[in-house]
Amino acid sequence: MPYEPKLIEEKWQSAWSDARVAEVDVNAPGEKFYMLNMFPYPSGDLHVGHGRNYILGDALYRYFRMQGRAALNPMGWDAFGLPAENAAIKRGIHPRQWTVSNIEREKKQFLRWGILYDWSKELASCEPEYYRWNQWLFLQLFKRGLAYRAKAPVNWCPSDQTVLANEQVIDGRCERCNSIVIQRDLEQWFLKITDYADRLDAGLDTLEHWPEKVKLMQRNWIGRSVGADVDFEVPSLGKAMRIFTTRPDTIFGATFMVLAPEHPDVVTLIADHPDRAEIEQWIAGVRNQSNLERQEAGKEGRFSGKTATNPFTNEQIPIWLGNFVLMQYGTGAIMAVPGHDQRDFEFARQYNLPIRIVVRPSGGETPDADTMPEAFVVKDDSAMAVNSGLIDGLPTPKAIATIIDEIERRGIGKKMVRYRLRDWLISRQRYWGTPIPMIYCERDGIVPVPEEQLPVELPLDVPFTGREGNPLAKDERFVNTTCPKCGGAAKRETDTMDTFVDSSWYYARFISAHDDTKIVDTPLANRWLPVDQYIGGIEHAILHLLYARFICRTLHDMGLLAYEEPFTRLFNQGMITKEGYRDAEHGTWVAIADVEWIDGNAVQKATGRALIAEISKMSKSHFNVVPPDELIEKYGADTERVYTLFIAPPEKEAAWSDDGVVGAHRFLGRVWHMGEQILGATQNAEGGSGQALIRKTHQTIDTITRRFDRFEFNTAISGLMELSNAIGDAITSGDADAATLRQSYTTLLKLLHPFAPHITEELWMLFGNEGFILTSDWPKADPALMVEDVVTIVVQVNGKLRGQVEVPNPPEKEVVLAAIRANRKVQQWLAGKEVVKEVYVPGKLVNIVIKG
């Protein structure tokens, strides 16, 4: 009986599909369990790095099924978006053609991995039956004042006449044509997520089963800050400029002000500046940088030539522009307190601006502003205000409260809670996305498309080149329409939606995926939601998860869902890495097939240039992917599954090793041939009692179950390898009869099934069992059969480890002490010494206290 994975795997994949084993009737009674992998973008061939996410999810699904849970496990496709446009441009085909072909390809790869999904609930976000409800949702948000249109800056390629995503801007240039990218302000659509900032922040406290790292990332992104808004009069403007600060008690130390280069008052402030042209050129350069680039770049500024009045010192302080100040946070203007903020301190030193100390440690000396090497940053509540007028001598908390009261009494500001979170810009001036269902009428203004006219379908026959702007704007059949209010000529919105809209509510749609009458079936959704287990990469920790939490709350507020949080438990798998090669001179990645070795050094075959070997995330762009088809053809899908989950804890980064794959294949081969031996094990019919094997089997059941519950898949597989070794030893030694061997082996098959489903189904059948092993019961450990015959007792002398003894279980004190007296190693430490007492911790240790 040779182990032939290909024949076995194709057989059982067909059997599962024919039996529709993964389909769930959501209307059927019973306990629910909803698990979900983040749906993938159909970008082409999946590699083994992608597989870690889906294999992990399938192992969990099979475990839950065997535990008797009616696990709903659907799958769909996040099918709109920029990657399809870029791929289509490169290949000269339509984005839909590229997307649909990739969906079919990836479905086949899921099948080859042996991954079970409820395909009766499949959805794809590029299909009108799905994006119709994106449009419906947008209209509801518009009615509630949560969708609005406003100007916002975008990356604009003047050559291609199109808006670019940040990912398409490389070193300030368009990745398509290499033109310098500029910033333009366009009217765009936003969703008012900021209205939900408090609820989104507070809701994180309820997510007990989310990784702390993810919750912290979301908190930082929301950026809740408690402080005060304060007005600084600007004489040249004839009005006040508002700043936000979390440390209003330091206002007496504000010696200058810094504005974001994009601040709306900058144009007026620099209008008569002698160096206005140079400043405007600098502003344009700063605006073309991403926020991250601005935060990581060296601090740089320009003096506006104007001043503001510090409302508490009445001093005229200079107004500067700074690249490190962002319009997205606070008011886009800060009061700079260089004595107590490191960023302000560095800026002040760089431009020779005054530094004043207004806080000192309580019990310490006031820092010297002229000689201090860095800002004195208050890190606790023990500091005291100095040189600060009415709050002089007050501790920090009291100083903050007092100054806020004074600010409000004077009417120059108020206590304020602000957020770093900005409203969600969903407009995309691109083709491959959900059309925004709005109409522009000269008479009636902006008019929503009536719900009965949805979906506004994306035309599939428009010329698509990826250049010269959005093709929708050039399609007169799409653009020209009639106004729903007056019936006159009107124009359609040609922007499409951010693809994060597609993934912000799909978890609710799976439950009634093909309902053409409503977005969600509320009674069913309330029964199945929230998702019990959500699985996906940590790269989605902020945007996708935050937007999903936001939209879930809006659906709750519409009365469509009973829950505000969509995902009860969240698990983020780590990435798989593999060695790749990078051109030492140019930094570009080189395909492994193009690498050769000369005198022990890696060089590129075509150019002879030196290459650097690097371990990096497995990706096509790094030319270091491992195609699963080749691997499955050679070793089988079960081998890939076992190895993928064995190489490291699933939440950790894991380095792929081809040698390790061979090891996993050998393990499965041993399991296969062990089954052959047990099926013909008549010579062991009168074997030993097999008590040791029975004990090991039940201990393993207990261990694997607990490790599954803790997502410790790698150590669970180690435990199964230990059990297989114990079974192999019992076969060789004859220490277990045929019935015991058979029982332990079939238990091994059940425990191994979530990891290696094909081989275990085949062996389950060969052992004469009826039905799928998938639908059999998960084994239960008997505590009485897990007890060891002997236990090990640690022996200490004056608290230091000096040996150990083995005694029959359960351990009795006199038996333990007798074993210690007979142990030569321990007695060496007691020779000639007076024993004061013997402290026995039952079943664990004895500490012998001696004199001398």
Side-chain angles (χ1 to χ4, degrees), residues 378-401:
V378 179
K379 296 181 179 177
D380 55 40
D381 294 340
S382 64
M384 310 285 288
V386 294
N387 305 319
S388 297
L390 76 160
I391 59 172
D392 225 23
L394 294 180
T396 296
K398 180 66 175 173
I400 291 174

PDB file of all heavy atoms in Angstrom, residues 378-401:
ATOM      1  N   VAL A 378       7.617  66.163  31.319  1.00  0.00           N
ATOM      2  CA  VAL A 378       6.936  65.694  32.518  1.00  0.00           C
ATOM      3  C   VAL A 378       6.389  64.293  32.267  1.00  0.00           C
ATOM      4  O   VAL A 378       5.612  64.073  31.335  1.00  0.00           O
ATOM      5  CB  VAL A 378       5.784  66.647  32.897  1.00  0.00           C
ATOM      6  CG1 VAL A 378       5.058  66.135  34.127  1.00  0.00           C
ATOM      7  CG2 VAL A 378       6.312  68.049  33.117  1.00  0.00           C
ATOM      8  N   LYS A 379       6.816  63.342  33.100  1.00  0.00           N
ATOM      9  CA  LYS A 379       6.395  61.958  32.902  1.00  0.00           C
ATOM     10  C   LYS A 379       5.479  61.451  34.013  1.00  0.00           C
ATOM     11  O   LYS A 379       5.034  60.320  33.978  1.00  0.00           O
ATOM     12  CB  LYS A 379       7.623  61.054  32.788  1.00  0.00           C
ATOM     13  CG  LYS A 379       8.466  61.379  31.555  1.00  0.00           C
ATOM     14  CD  LYS A 379       9.659  60.461  31.425  1.00  0.00           C
ATOM     15  CE  LYS A 379      10.456  60.798  30.167  1.00  0.00           C
ATOM     16  NZ  LYS A 379      11.680  59.986  30.022  1.00  0.00           N
ATOM     17  N   ASP A 380       5.229  62.255  35.011  1.00  0.00           N
ATOM     18  CA  ASP A 380       4.294  61.868  36.071  1.00  0.00           C
ATOM     19  C   ASP A 380       3.641  63.130  36.621  1.00  0.00           C
ATOM     20  O   ASP A 380       3.818  64.223  36.098  1.00  0.00           O
ATOM     21  CB  ASP A 380       5.000  61.069  37.177  1.00  0.00           C
ATOM     22  CG  ASP A 380       6.193  61.823  37.747  1.00  0.00           C
ATOM     23  OD1 ASP A 380       6.077  63.042  37.929  1.00  0.00           O
ATOM     24  OD2 ASP A 380       7.235  61.186  37.996  1.00  0.00           O
ATOM     25  N   ASP A 381       2.874  62.975  37.697  1.00  0.00           N
ATOM     26  CA  ASP A 381       2.119  64.101  38.245  1.00  0.00           C
ATOM     27  C   ASP A 381       2.879  64.840  39.339  1.00  0.00           C
ATOM     28  O   ASP A 381       2.304  65.667  40.051  1.00  0.00           O
ATOM     29  CB  ASP A 381       0.781  63.600  38.805  1.00  0.00           C
ATOM     30  CG  ASP A 381      -0.135  63.074  37.709  1.00  0.00           C
ATOM     31  OD1 ASP A 381       0.099  63.446  36.544  1.00  0.00           O
ATOM     32  OD2 ASP A 381      -1.061  62.305  38.031  1.00  0.00           O
ATOM     33  N   SER A 382       4.170  64.558  39.507  1.00  0.00           N
ATOM     34  CA  SER A 382       4.908  65.134  40.626  1.00  0.00           C
ATOM     35  C   SER A 382       5.544  66.483  40.300  1.00  0.00           C
ATOM     36  O   SER A 382       6.110  67.127  41.175  1.00  0.00           O
ATOM     37  CB  SER A 382       6.003  64.163  41.087  1.00  0.00           C
ATOM     38  OG  SER A 382       6.963  63.977  40.052  1.00  0.00           O
ATOM     39  N   ALA A 383       5.506  66.907  39.028  1.00  0.00           N
ATOM     40  CA  ALA A 383       6.149  68.165  38.643  1.00  0.00           C
ATOM     41  C   ALA A 383       5.328  69.361  39.115  1.00  0.00           C
ATOM     42  O   ALA A 383       4.129  69.254  39.407  1.00  0.00           O
ATOM     43  CB  ALA A 383       6.350  68.206  37.144  1.00  0.00           C
ATOM     44  N   MET A 384       5.997  70.524  39.159  1.00  0.00           N
ATOM     45  CA  MET A 384       5.363  71.762  39.635  1.00  0.00           C
ATOM     46  C   MET A 384       5.515  72.853  38.587  1.00  0.00           C
ATOM     47  O   MET A 384       6.531  72.927  37.882  1.00  0.00           O
ATOM     48  CB  MET A 384       6.029  72.243  40.935  1.00  0.00           C
ATOM     49  CG  MET A 384       6.181  71.188  42.014  1.00  0.00           C
ATOM     50  SD  MET A 384       4.639  70.812  42.847  1.00  0.00           S
ATOM     51  CE  MET A 384       4.430  72.299  43.814  1.00  0.00           C
ATOM     52  N   ALA A 385       4.514  73.714  38.493  1.00  0.00           N
ATOM     53  CA  ALA A 385       4.574  74.861  37.587  1.00  0.00           C
ATOM     54  C   ALA A 385       5.473  75.951  38.176  1.00  0.00           C
ATOM     55  O   ALA A 385       5.404  76.248  39.384  1.00  0.00           O
ATOM     56  CB  ALA A 385       3.178  75.406  37.330  1.00  0.00           C
ATOM     57  N   VAL A 386       6.315  76.558  37.336  1.00  0.00           N
ATOM     58  CA  VAL A 386       7.155  77.702  37.742  1.00  0.00           C
ATOM     59  C   VAL A 386       7.066  78.761  36.654  1.00  0.00           C
ATOM     60  O   VAL A 386       6.723  78.455  35.504  1.00  0.00           O
ATOM     61  CB  VAL A 386       8.635  77.274  37.948  1.00  0.00           C
ATOM     62  CG1 VAL A 386       8.767  76.328  39.121  1.00  0.00           C
ATOM     63  CG2 VAL A 386       9.222  76.667  36.680  1.00  0.00           C
ATOM     64  N   ASN A 387       7.355  79.991  37.032  1.00  0.00           N
ATOM     65  CA  ASN A 387       7.324  81.100  36.057  1.00  0.00           C
ATOM     66  C   ASN A 387       6.001  81.134  35.304  1.00  0.00           C
ATOM     67  O   ASN A 387       5.957  81.403  34.104  1.00  0.00           O
ATOM     68  CB  ASN A 387       8.479  80.975  35.055  1.00  0.00           C
ATOM     69  CG  ASN A 387       9.832  80.878  35.730  1.00  0.00           C
ATOM     70  OD1 ASN A 387      10.087  81.575  36.704  1.00  0.00           O
ATOM     71  ND2 ASN A 387      10.693  80.013  35.210  1.00  0.00           N
ATOM     72  N   SER A 388       4.914  80.815  35.997  1.00  0.00           N
ATOM     73  CA  SER A 388       3.632  80.600  35.317  1.00  0.00           C
ATOM     74  C   SER A 388       2.472  81.361  35.944  1.00  0.00           C
ATOM     75  O   SER A 388       1.337  80.862  35.980  1.00  0.00           O
ATOM     76  CB  SER A 388       3.305  79.100  35.290  1.00  0.00           C
ATOM     77  OG  SER A 388       4.267  78.394  34.545  1.00  0.00           O
ATOM     78  N   GLY A 389       2.713  82.543  36.436  1.00  0.00           N
ATOM     79  CA  GLY A 389       1.620  83.402  36.875  1.00  0.00           C
ATOM     80  C   GLY A 389       0.692  82.746  37.868  1.00  0.00           C
ATOM     81  O   GLY A 389       1.110  82.236  38.912  1.00  0.00           O
ATOM     82  N   LEU A 390      -0.609  82.710  37.542  1.00  0.00           N
ATOM     83  CA  LEU A 390      -1.613  82.255  38.496  1.00  0.00           C
ATOM     84  C   LEU A 390      -1.495  80.780  38.882  1.00  0.00           C
ATOM     85  O   LEU A 390      -2.068  80.348  39.885  1.00  0.00           O
ATOM     86  CB  LEU A 390      -3.020  82.527  37.951  1.00  0.00           C
ATOM     87  CG  LEU A 390      -3.553  81.585  36.850  1.00  0.00           C
ATOM     88  CD1 LEU A 390      -5.073  81.686  36.805  1.00  0.00           C
ATOM     89  CD2 LEU A 390      -2.967  81.881  35.514  1.00  0.00           C
ATOM     90  N   ILE A 391      -0.754  79.977  38.124  1.00  0.00           N
ATOM     91  CA  ILE A 391      -0.625  78.552  38.479  1.00  0.00           C
ATOM     92  C   ILE A 391       0.747  78.240  39.069  1.00  0.00           C
ATOM     93  O   ILE A 391       1.067  77.066  39.284  1.00  0.00           O
ATOM     94  CB  ILE A 391      -0.900  77.645  37.261  1.00  0.00           C
ATOM     95  CG1 ILE A 391       0.071  77.958  36.113  1.00  0.00           C
ATOM     96  CG2 ILE A 391      -2.344  77.745  36.803  1.00  0.00           C
ATOM     97  CD1 ILE A 391      -0.037  76.952  34.959  1.00  0.00           C
ATOM     98  N   ASP A 392       1.535  79.252  39.340  1.00  0.00           N
ATOM     99  CA  ASP A 392       2.874  79.053  39.896  1.00  0.00           C
ATOM    100  C   ASP A 392       2.810  78.210  41.171  1.00  0.00           C
ATOM    101  O   ASP A 392       1.999  78.475  42.072  1.00  0.00           O
ATOM    102  CB  ASP A 392       3.496  80.422  40.229  1.00  0.00           C
ATOM    103  CG  ASP A 392       4.931  80.502  39.749  1.00  0.00           C
ATOM    104  OD1 ASP A 392       5.277  79.750  38.827  1.00  0.00           O
ATOM    105  OD2 ASP A 392       5.691  81.327  40.288  1.00  0.00           O
ATOM    106  N   GLY A 393       3.654  77.176  41.225  1.00  0.00           N
ATOM    107  CA  GLY A 393       3.747  76.346  42.417  1.00  0.00           C
ATOM    108  C   GLY A 393       2.730  75.226  42.489  1.00  0.00           C
ATOM    109  O   GLY A 393       2.776  74.395  43.408  1.00  0.00           O
ATOM    110  N   LEU A 394       1.796  75.156  41.532  1.00  0.00           N
ATOM    111  CA  LEU A 394       0.786  74.088  41.558  1.00  0.00           C
ATOM    112  C   LEU A 394       1.338  72.818  40.923  1.00  0.00           C
ATOM    113  O   LEU A 394       2.085  72.867  39.933  1.00  0.00           O
ATOM    114  CB  LEU A 394      -0.469  74.522  40.796  1.00  0.00           C
ATOM    115  CG  LEU A 394      -1.279  75.685  41.383  1.00  0.00           C
ATOM    116  CD1 LEU A 394      -2.476  75.977  40.486  1.00  0.00           C
ATOM    117  CD2 LEU A 394      -1.745  75.362  42.804  1.00  0.00           C
ATOM    118  N   PRO A 395       0.971  71.640  41.464  1.00  0.00           N
ATOM    119  CA  PRO A 395       1.344  70.386  40.799  1.00  0.00           C
ATOM    120  C   PRO A 395       0.628  70.282  39.462  1.00  0.00           C
ATOM    121  O   PRO A 395      -0.430  70.893  39.251  1.00  0.00           O
ATOM    122  CB  PRO A 395       0.893  69.311  41.783  1.00  0.00           C
ATOM    123  CG  PRO A 395      -0.178  69.948  42.598  1.00  0.00           C
ATOM    124  CD  PRO A 395       0.178  71.410  42.683  1.00  0.00           C
ATOM    125  N   THR A 396       1.194  69.476  38.548  1.00  0.00           N
ATOM    126  CA  THR A 396       0.704  69.436  37.164  1.00  0.00           C
ATOM    127  C   THR A 396      -0.802  69.227  37.043  1.00  0.00           C
ATOM    128  O   THR A 396      -1.469  69.989  36.327  1.00  0.00           O
ATOM    129  CB  THR A 396       1.475  68.359  36.371  1.00  0.00           C
ATOM    130  OG1 THR A 396       2.856  68.746  36.309  1.00  0.00           O
ATOM    131  CG2 THR A 396       0.930  68.215  34.961  1.00  0.00           C
ATOM    132  N   PRO A 397      -1.418  68.210  37.684  1.00  0.00           N
ATOM    133  CA  PRO A 397      -2.874  68.021  37.500  1.00  0.00           C
ATOM    134  C   PRO A 397      -3.678  69.254  37.918  1.00  0.00           C
ATOM    135  O   PRO A 397      -4.615  69.653  37.217  1.00  0.00           O
ATOM    136  CB  PRO A 397      -3.185  66.818  38.395  1.00  0.00           C
ATOM    137  CG  PRO A 397      -1.881  66.095  38.538  1.00  0.00           C
ATOM    138  CD  PRO A 397      -0.847  67.176  38.548  1.00  0.00           C
ATOM    139  N   LYS A 398      -3.317  69.867  39.066  1.00  0.00           N
ATOM    140  CA  LYS A 398      -4.046  71.040  39.542  1.00  0.00           C
ATOM    141  C   LYS A 398      -3.797  72.234  38.622  1.00  0.00           C
ATOM    142  O   LYS A 398      -4.707  73.032  38.344  1.00  0.00           O
ATOM    143  CB  LYS A 398      -3.586  71.361  40.963  1.00  0.00           C
ATOM    144  CG  LYS A 398      -4.282  72.569  41.585  1.00  0.00           C
ATOM    145  CD  LYS A 398      -5.763  72.302  41.808  1.00  0.00           C
ATOM    146  CE  LYS A 398      -6.416  73.473  42.551  1.00  0.00           C
ATOM    147  NZ  LYS A 398      -7.896  73.321  42.629  1.00  0.00           N
ATOM    148  N   ALA A 399      -2.557  72.324  38.109  1.00  0.00           N
ATOM    149  CA  ALA A 399      -2.225  73.434  37.209  1.00  0.00           C
ATOM    150  C   ALA A 399      -3.046  73.346  35.931  1.00  0.00           C
ATOM    151  O   ALA A 399      -3.541  74.370  35.422  1.00  0.00           O
ATOM    152  CB  ALA A 399      -0.730  73.415  36.893  1.00  0.00           C
ATOM    153  N   ILE A 400      -3.201  72.131  35.387  1.00  0.00           N
ATOM    154  CA  ILE A 400      -3.988  71.949  34.154  1.00  0.00           C
ATOM    155  C   ILE A 400      -5.441  72.354  34.386  1.00  0.00           C
ATOM    156  O   ILE A 400      -6.041  73.093  33.587  1.00  0.00           O
ATOM    157  CB  ILE A 400      -3.882  70.487  33.668  1.00  0.00           C
ATOM    158  CG1 ILE A 400      -2.465  70.200  33.154  1.00  0.00           C
ATOM    159  CG2 ILE A 400      -4.911  70.213  32.565  1.00  0.00           C
ATOM    160  CD1 ILE A 400      -2.229  68.738  32.784  1.00  0.00           C
ATOM    161  N   ALA A 401      -6.030  71.851  35.482  1.00  0.00           N
ATOM    162  CA  ALA A 401      -7.433  72.167  35.764  1.00  0.00           C
ATOM    163  C   ALA A 401      -7.633  73.665  35.965  1.00  0.00           C
ATOM    164  O   ALA A 401      -8.602  74.256  35.463  1.00  0.00           O
ATOM    165  CB  ALA A 401      -7.886  71.399  37.004  1.00  0.00           C
TER     166      ALA A 401
END
